[in-house]
Amino acid sequence: MNLVFDPKWDKALPDTDRLKIEQTFQKFVLPNTAGKQITFTPLWQARNHRSDLLVTVLINNYSGQAYSFGDTTLKYVEDNAVKAEKTFTLERVYVPPDSSMPWTFIFPESSFINSSINLHGSLICHNLNDLDPPD
């Protein structure tokens, strides 16, 4: 597995955040995880000034082909309860094969299913077939 950064992230990412991402990658992202294609490793969660939920993860692509997100529904889950759900189309997000890439998914307050969010959750995608290879 390789750790890659979107070019805009690579330029703007503070050193402290880059270090945390690299440490998380080294500690939690395992090569050749059997039967897995795409997984998410949580990095941090926050709320912005508009009360949107920002969920930063490592997108881990264990497959042999590159992926981007087209009409992919992700759920933010805390303590086995879905707290927010949103469908993302992110043509800019291109995760090469056998690579991990940090990304922040933004859930607007209108996507909240339960407003009591504690910022200790994770992302799930029930149907990994929703992930489409880029054109």
Side-chain angles (χ1 to χ4, degrees):
M1 288 291 280
N2 300 303
L3 178 61
V4 298
F5 292 89
D6 176 86
K8 288 185 179 181
W9 274 62
D10 205 21
K11 286 183 180 182
L13 193 64
D15 289 342
T16 54
D17 289 348
R18 182 181 302 273
L19 181 61
K20 179 173 181 178
I21 290 168
E22 289 170 351
Q23 289 173 337
T24 300
F25 174 77
Q26 292 295 325
K27 187 173 181 179
F28 294 107
V29 178
L30 304 173
N32 303 320
T33 299
K36 302 237 178 175
Q37 289 191 13
I38 303 292
T39 65
F40 302 102
T41 302
L43 291 167
W44 54 80
Q45 296 98 46
R47 299 282 289 265
N48 67 13
H49 65 282
R50 292 187 304 262
S51 294
D52 300 335
L53 173 65
L54 297 96
V55 181
T56 304
V57 298
L58 280 174
I59 304 168
N60 308 304
N61 181 0
Y62 292 100
S63 78
Q65 62 182 348
Y67 277 101
S68 64
F69 291 77
D71 294 324
T72 302
T73 300
L74 299 178
K75 297 177 182 181
Y76 177 74
V77 177
E78 291 179 347
D79 300 322
N80 297 317
V82 177
K83 300 287 186 157
E85 181 175 340
K86 183 175 186 309
T87 300
F88 292 89
T89 298
L90 303 169
E91 292 153 6
R92 179 177 146 204
V93 178
Y94 175 86
V95 185
D98 302 312
S99 297
S100 295
M101 185 174 82
W103 195 259
T104 299
F105 291 93
I106 301 172
F107 291 82
E109 195 170 21
S110 62
S111 70
F112 294 2
I113 294 168
N114 183 324
S115 61
S116 65
I117 294 177
N118 299 318
L119 303 177
H120 304 310
S122 59
L123 285 185
I124 59 169
C125 177
H126 282 296
N127 186 358
L128 292 179
N129 294 327
D130 285 346
L131 301 173
D132 298 319
D135 295 329

